[in-house]
Amino acid sequence: MAVEQTLSIIKPDAVRKNLIGAIVSRFEQAGLSVVAQRMLLLSRAQAEGFYAEHQGKPFFDGLVDFMTSGPVVVQVLSGENAIALNRELMGATDPAKAAPGTIRADYAEAINKNAVHGSDSPTSAAREVAYFFATHEVNLR
Ligand code: IDP
């Protein structure tokens, strides 16, 4: 298995609930390392660009409203099989369908307030890491 980097976002609902530490602990305990991290308030343009593939879907405007409703933590996680491992730790998009013990099962309230984002493929990970971080910021360790 290869060492990969993946983009994670701790979304506004989880930041509001003081869950940053709990969520990062799960990543670290599973063998993922935080190699870059920043807290920011997304602009509408940033959120729309990030979720461009969902433009036109019925939930798109609500998703942008939510993602700009408070600060998020964007981070790059690194480790063996990091992309799939992070998706496994997160659980299904809808917390009602997420496996017990996953981040979304434990911390998310609803499909539109689901605590975390994680890249879903190597192509997405490359795009999403570059969306928020310069090359020199993700190669510090
Ligand atoms: P993912 O975050 O698990 O990769 P995506 O299908 O890429 O899921 O959707 C991006 C985000 O859009 C989800 O995390 C969720 O917040 C929101 N979303 C997806 N589907 C719905 C829906 O049917 N209703 C409301 N929000 C949705």
Side-chain angles (χ1 to χ4, degrees):
M1 269 188 298
V3 172
E4 296 173 333
Q5 290 190 343
T6 191
L7 186 88
S8 160
I9 303 180
I10 303 178
K11 295 185 178 183
D13 57 324
V15 172
R16 270 193 284 272
K17 289 190 247 176
N18 266 353
L19 290 169
I20 297 171
I23 291 171
V24 172
S25 283
R26 290 186 179 216
F27 296 147
E28 292 184 336
Q29 278 164 20
L32 295 173
S33 299
V34 177
V35 296
Q37 178 165 267
R38 186 184 311 130
M39 180 178 259
L40 75 164
L41 193 54
L42 294 176
S43 66
R44 287 196 78 82
Q46 265 177 317
E48 285 168 1
F50 184 76
Y51 280 118
E53 67 176 291
H54 295 301
Q55 203 134 23
K57 293 186 184 165
F59 61 82
F60 184 73
D61 288 346
L63 176 60
V64 172
D65 288 345
F66 168 64
M67 290 301 289
T68 57
S69 69
V72 297
V73 177
V74 294
Q75 52 195 191
V76 180
L77 306 177
S78 171
E80 290 280 334
N81 203 24
I83 298 166
L85 176 56
N86 181 36
R87 297 285 297 185
E88 209 177 293
L89 296 171
M90 287 164 52
T93 308
D94 182 351
K97 296 180 184 154
T102 59
I103 293 169
R104 282 168 166 168
D106 289 347
Y107 299 136
E109 342 177 353
I111 192 168
N112 60 347
K113 292 195 183 86
N114 61 0
V116 279
H117 166 85
S119 309
D120 64 4
S121 68
T123 306
S124 306
R127 181 185 87 86
E128 294 176 359
V129 167
Y131 195 83
F132 288 110
F133 295 95
T135 309
H136 71 272
E137 293 179 293
V138 297
N139 287 313
L140 298 175
R141 60 184 247 181

